[in-house]
Amino acid sequence: MNEYLQEIRALTMRWVRRLSREKFSMLFTLVQPMLFWLIFFGNLFQRAADPQVTQAPNYISFLAAGVVVMTVLNNGLAGGVDLLFDKENGFLERLMSTPINRTSVVLSRFLFVTTITCLQVLVILGVAWFFGVEAVTGLPGIAVILLISMLFGVGLTAISMALAFSVKSHGDFFSVLGFLSLPMIFLSSALVPLQAMPAWMSMLAKFNPMTWAIDAVRSLILSGWAEALPKVGMVVMIMLVFDAICLYGSARAFRRAMG
Amino acid sequence: MSRAVAIETIKLRKTYGTLAAVDDLTFQVYAGEVFGLLGPNGAGKSTTLRILITLLRPTSGQAIVLGHDVARDADLVRRLIGYVPQERAIDRFLTGREHLLLLADLYHLPKDEAQRRIPELLKLVDLEARADQPAKTYSGGMKRKLDIACGLLPNPKVLFLDEPTLGLDVQSRLRIWDYVRQLKARGITIVMTTNYLDEADQLCDRLAILDGGRIRAMGSPAELKAGLGGDIVSLTIGAEDAGRIEALATALRVLPMVRAVTAKPSGLDIRVESSEKALPAVLEAANRTSCRLELVDYHRPRLDDVFVAHTGHAIRSEFPETEE
């Protein structure tokens, strides 16, 4: 057990150290384009969006939940990239040739990605607050938002790692990611509520776990506990199933890649 | 002669679909020796190495490292070995020291032992001055040295080196050879892959020549060369006579003093009892078949002759992989 903790701490610190070495990338990670979605897109569509449709006092307050979950999506899907590079340059083999528990490398990655994601969600909620969006459920509500972010993030990171272990080249990795992420965003309630979508799109969006996460986060920000609780319960259940499937797939890909 | 066996493989086989990457490998590595796996790219060297370091499971057969089966007791084996992968298995953002600190935790070294060993190793590979700079500022040779320090960190009984000098400049190569000799002097068993004949000749006590996933010959470089016996006469034939090389080879094969003839793209290698006695007949045969000789060379067998004799072709080092 002690050895396990020693490994995981050392491997997690490696990711932290790398991030701190890449000052530029750190800036972009924490003050990510996601933030610009909130600031620019939110303000840009202020008058174009109909409050009757969004059911929110203004578009920024509607968009905040979407930006939170989009951040989780992007971070999660990019979560396997560093392992992909480790695999390509042989560093992963070096790690695997040491007497570590086979799960340590992957687990350290989950820990790191989840922590960064939570920090970013807090930054986004802070910026939203600056623009006058205050979560009506207060700090407990924010804690629940973080919980939902973590649950969704784990499954996404697992998908990303599975992809990293399976692809032949990193070109493939990035094209699959690009192919996944935009439809996930447009076929969700991130930018527009389901009711305002064409029927076929809202139909598809209902099968997107992201929609459920956004709706729960949105009601935590805008509506209050009474409306939020059933949605939170629902999304937690959906996410547990989602995570289980993703983790299973990821474990299989890992075992296949590691011979 | 019975010596302690450090590694033993028995009918080792690894297949990908219908393709056998290695097939029917049976060999032993004795404790304290430098054992080389020599062969061209794709011969199965790396596959063999990766099975031995537990990163690949054999399809069938068995590999035993220091008494432990690599498939069944992988974790035990990992605790006893060090591994130096091919160049670039380095995190460019970490410093040299941080690499060693990370690996110290992965090998579960106690803090005080890590504190003691890391400066020692940095000194051994001459990296003390640059130890606290990120690895992206290192030259190819320095990265290789760091790789070796990483491989030695767990104080292994057996060290595996994968192409230790691939893409290095001459000076760095000689430096690495030096380390390998020092490590051998300390009693570490070393298994290395290489596709450089001179490296195998210089460093290895014994080697296995691999080609197409199988062992073609095994023994010490001196034994392998002596095994060929006699001399090698090399003929370089003008390009305009390339069409007649086969006729010349046929004419040579019937000569009593010729043991074997191997065709090369530019001529022929002829193994003979004694070059002094064979040369007149060889030249006469060339004349008779109207092959114009550009160059005649004869020498005692070298390792490349051993390679050609056992695999039927030269090791393909015309396109060495270069460093990025």
Side-chain angles (χ1 to χ4, degrees):
Chain A
M1 195 60 208
N2 260 340
E3 290 191 343
Y4 196 35
L5 290 179
Q6 187 183 14
E7 292 157 24
I8 290 177
R9 196 194 56 226
L11 289 165
T12 310
M13 280 315 291
R14 170 179 170 230
W15 304 122
V16 174
R17 214 166 259 148
R18 277 175 64 116
L19 184 67
S20 69
R21 293 285 146 78
E22 296 175 280
K23 297 272 186 314
F24 207 62
S25 142
M26 181 154 90
L27 192 74
F28 275 89
T29 309
L30 290 176
V31 189
Q32 237 207 359
M34 284 300 110
L35 213 53
F36 301 134
W37 274 92
L38 188 68
I39 296 172
F40 295 127
F41 205 75
N43 285 304
L44 194 63
F45 277 69
Q46 194 59 26
R47 292 180 54 202
D50 185 347
Q52 292 294 323
V53 176
T54 59
Q55 295 289 312
N58 51 41
Y59 189 59
I60 281 205
S61 60
F62 173 83
L63 191 63
V67 174
V68 164
V69 179
M70 272 154 68
T71 301
V72 177
L73 176 79
N74 281 359
N75 277 4
L77 287 182
V81 176
D82 290 79
L83 288 181
L84 178 69
F85 290 134
D86 274 359
K87 184 182 93 169
E88 287 188 343
N89 75 16
F91 201 79
L92 188 64
E93 265 200 359
R94 152 159 285 155
L95 297 179
M96 285 311 187
S97 74
T98 66
I100 54 173
N101 188 299
R102 304 289 92 182
T103 58
S104 293
V105 174
V106 170
L107 206 65
S108 76
R109 196 66 204 161
F110 275 120
L111 269 175
F112 175 76
V113 172
T114 306
T115 310
I116 294 294
T117 303
C118 286
L119 287 177
Q120 268 181 276
V121 166
L122 290 175
V123 171
I124 286 164
L125 290 174
V127 172
W129 175 82
F130 181 79
F131 282 99
V133 183
E134 204 170 332
V136 295
T137 49
L139 286 181
I142 290 176
V144 176
I145 291 175
L146 288 181
L147 174 75
I148 294 170
S149 303
M150 285 189 224
L151 283 173
F152 191 33
V154 165
L156 293 164
T157 311
I159 292 179
S160 177
M161 289 191 211
L163 203 57
F165 290 128
S166 316
V167 291
K168 291 270 178 285
S169 76
H170 60 260
D172 293 353
F173 180 85
F174 290 108
S175 29
V176 175
L177 276 203
F179 187 78
L180 267 180
S181 97
L182 274 183
M184 285 278 276
I185 292 171
F186 288 122
L187 291 177
S188 80
S189 52
L191 308 173
V192 173
L194 289 191
Q195 302 87 307
M197 285 184 185
W200 65 272
M201 279 179 86
S202 74
M203 173 68 184
L204 287 174
K206 275 193 195 119
F207 288 99
N208 184 350
M210 192 165 160
T211 299
W212 298 86
I214 293 168
D215 287 351
V217 171
R218 187 167 286 145
S219 52
L220 284 164
I221 295 176
L222 295 178
S223 323
W225 288 110
E227 201 173 307
L229 270 182
K231 288 184 177 168
V232 171
M234 187 67 186
V235 78
V236 167
M237 274 179 357
I238 289 173
M239 286 305 163
L240 288 178
V241 174
F242 174 70
D243 288 351
I245 295 171
C246 296
L247 286 172
Y248 175 74
S250 175
R252 282 191 52 156
F254 181 70
R255 228 167 278 144
R256 207 170 33 231
M258 291 292 115
Chain B
M1 187 169 79
S2 88
R3 298 171 61 186
V5 171
I7 297 172
E8 183 169 26
T9 71
I10 302 153
K11 291 191 174 296
L12 204 59
R13 182 180 159 84
K14 175 76 189 175
T15 54
Y16 294 99
T18 55
L19 183 86
V22 300
D23 203 357
D24 199 24
L25 291 196
T26 301
F27 63 85
Q28 294 180 332
V29 178
Y30 300 117
E33 74 175 348
V34 178
F35 186 85
L37 295 165
L38 173 70
N41 297 334
K45 292 169 298 175
S46 289
T47 305
T48 310
L49 195 77
R50 293 174 69 222
I51 292 173
L52 294 178
I53 61 173
T54 76
L55 289 182
L56 273 183
R57 275 175 167 275
T59 309
S60 66
Q62 216 184 2
I64 292 159
V65 175
L66 298 167
H68 305 290
D69 186 301
V70 295
R72 224 180 32 238
D73 299 320
D75 207 53
L76 267 170
V77 172
R78 288 181 197 124
R79 281 168 203 274
L80 299 169
I81 62 169
Y83 170 46
V84 180
Q86 284 194 24
E87 162 93 67
R88 284 184 305 134
I90 291 249
D91 185 330
R92 19 199 320 272
F93 295 102
L94 297 186
T95 68
R97 195 187 306 280
E98 283 166 349
H99 276 86
L100 293 168
L101 285 166
L102 170 66
L103 286 166
D105 277 327
L106 302 188
Y107 282 107
H108 315 115
L109 297 189
K111 266 245 149 33
D112 51 330
E113 196 184 335
Q115 296 289 344
R116 190 169 48 76
R117 287 189 61 75
I118 289 173
E120 249 175 50
L121 286 170
L122 287 169
K123 191 170 165 164
L124 174 78
V125 297
D126 293 315
L127 274 181
E128 289 162 299
R130 303 286 296 275
D132 295 306
Q133 285 167 23
K136 64 179 164 191
T137 67
Y138 290 8
S139 67
M142 292 171 68
K143 284 181 188 161
R144 199 78 274 223
K145 289 176 182 179
L146 176 58
D147 267 333
I148 291 184
C150 289
L152 288 173
L153 185 72
N155 205 3
K157 302 243 180 346
V158 182
L159 183 67
F160 292 90
L161 299 166
D162 198 0
E163 302 281 356
T165 64
L166 190 67
L168 289 188
D169 60 80
V170 176
Q171 271 197 324
S172 306
R173 265 186 98 191
L174 294 176
R175 208 58 231 264
I176 302 293
W177 287 6
D178 239 25
Y179 294 139
V180 173
R181 293 195 184 100
Q182 280 181 43
L183 297 174
K184 177 184 148 66
R186 289 195 198 178
I188 298 178
T189 306
I190 294 167
V191 177
M192 58 186 276
T193 68
T194 182
N195 59 27
Y196 295 130
L197 290 154
D198 54 337
E199 185 163 280
D201 206 356
Q202 289 279 329
L203 285 181
C204 297
D205 296 314
R206 288 195 316 130
L207 48 95
I209 293 180
L210 256 65
D211 192 48
R214 286 170 175 274
I215 293 179
R216 305 292 166 171
M218 191 158 43
S220 72
E223 276 166 19
L224 288 170
K225 286 183 261 186
L228 287 191
D231 291 331
I232 309 287
V233 175
S234 268
L235 304 180
T236 307
I237 292 164
E240 68 278 6
D241 288 336
R244 282 194 278 272
I245 290 182
E246 211 30 65
L248 175 56
T250 313
L252 289 169
R253 281 192 185 104
V254 299
L255 295 177
M257 63 288 263
V258 169
R259 287 208 201 153
V261 179
T262 317
K264 292 183 302 184
S266 59
L268 293 172
D269 275 350
I270 308 149
R271 272 200 289 138
V272 296
E273 302 289 344
S274 140
S275 48
E276 288 83 354
K277 286 185 189 154
L279 264 177
V282 168
L283 296 179
E284 194 272 325
N287 208 6
R288 187 156 30 93
T289 50
S290 319
C291 278
R292 198 176 58 76
L293 301 180
E294 284 188 346
L295 205 68
V296 179
D297 173 37
Y298 58 94
H299 54 78
R300 309 285 305 164
R302 293 183 302 228
L303 204 50
D304 47 341
D305 302 313
V306 174
F307 193 88
V308 170
H310 288 291
T311 64
H313 57 80
I315 196 160
R316 282 173 296 269
S317 52
E318 292 97 58
F319 308 102
E321 286 160 73
T322 44
E323 204 190 328
E324 265 179 295

